[in-house]
Amino acid sequence: MVTPALPRPRLRRLVRLYVGLTLYGLSVALLIESDLGAMPWAVLDQGLALRTGLSIGTWTIIVGALLMLLWIPLRQKPGIGTLSNVVMIGATADLFLWLLPETGVLWIRIAELLLGILACALATGYYIGAALGPGPRDGLMTGLAARGLSVRLARTVIEVAVVITGFLLGGTVGVGTLVFAVAIGPLTQIFLPLFRMSENHPETPIRSTDR
């Protein structure tokens, strides 16, 4: 039930994985700091944080862990990338939320929004391209799709429900949420092929620059 831990080339996969997850945490923070509308799952995490006093990153980790429990009946296979996703995105989101200064200047907020969307697309290309296991949210969608729902329908239903719940809890929904929903698919489609690595890399001797 677990994907191979570290297929070759190991170092390149790990670098891409952790660069991608760090970028994803940055994208979450940029979209939240823009105050123009967060990405769907961040809206939920933000709403839960406002209601409980726990940080947004903490809720990102908690929600990710809970989603993995739903993988059990769906028979999805986690990997090192899945477990890293649960922990690192939340931790790096909190770090960047602490580092990024608050601003009321509109053009800076728009720049944060656009950079956040671009960073998310790059991050997705990196961490999915490493082929070390899907994120907990991705795995839920593909698991439902494997049982008859289309990926598009599964993603739409889940993310609409997440956004509505997060909004009712106080999360920020705005033009940025809409721009993210429209732009993230095409941008990811551009970047993912650039960083995709084969899941079954041939067993070749490891060179000094490719471990």
Side-chain angles (χ1 to χ4, degrees):
M1 292 295 293
V2 179
T3 56
L6 280 176
R8 295 179 179 179
R10 297 182 180 94
L11 180 58
R12 283 171 55 197
R13 288 183 190 275
L14 287 174
V15 168
R16 291 192 183 189
L17 171 66
Y18 292 116
V19 167
L21 295 179
T22 301
L23 276 175
Y24 206 106
L26 174 61
S27 72
V28 170
L30 284 168
L31 285 163
I32 290 173
E33 283 296 332
S34 77
D35 201 30
L36 294 171
M39 63 182 69
W41 285 97
V43 174
L44 176 62
D45 298 330
Q46 186 182 28
L48 289 168
L50 289 170
R51 295 290 180 174
T52 64
L54 297 176
S55 71
I56 291 172
T58 299
W59 273 111
T60 300
I61 294 170
I62 293 172
V63 170
L66 292 175
L67 288 175
M68 286 196 65
L69 296 178
L70 298 178
W71 282 33
I72 297 173
L74 295 174
R75 297 185 179 180
Q76 291 296 285
K77 296 180 180 181
I80 186 173
T82 310
L83 303 177
S84 298
N85 183 298
V86 171
V87 176
M88 274 203 65
I89 291 179
T92 53
D94 271 353
L95 173 63
F96 287 118
L97 283 169
W98 178 69
L99 290 174
L100 290 172
E102 294 184 10
T103 178
V105 181
L106 181 58
W107 73 265
I108 295 179
R109 292 166 57 203
I110 293 173
E112 288 177 328
L113 168 65
L114 297 178
L115 285 172
I117 294 172
L118 180 61
C120 185
L122 278 167
T124 303
Y126 268 111
Y127 90 79
I128 291 182
L132 292 175
R137 295 153 188 83
D138 302 318
L140 177 61
M141 294 172 193
T142 55
L144 290 172
R147 273 143 187 80
L149 289 178
S150 69
V151 173
R152 180 180 300 176
L153 178 59
R155 180 174 186 131
T156 300
V157 170
I158 292 171
E159 293 198 350
V160 167
V162 164
V163 168
I164 292 173
T165 303
F167 176 72
L168 293 175
L169 290 171
T172 304
V173 177
V175 65
T177 310
L178 179 60
V179 173
F180 178 89
V182 171
I184 193 62
L187 285 173
T188 301
Q189 190 170 0
I190 292 172
F191 290 120
L192 187 56
L194 298 177
F195 303 119
R196 187 185 298 276
M197 302 179 71
S198 171
E199 295 188 25
N200 297 307
H201 195 275
E203 292 295 323
T204 54
I206 303 176
R207 297 170 295 176
S208 59
T209 57
D210 187 16
R211 295 183 185 276

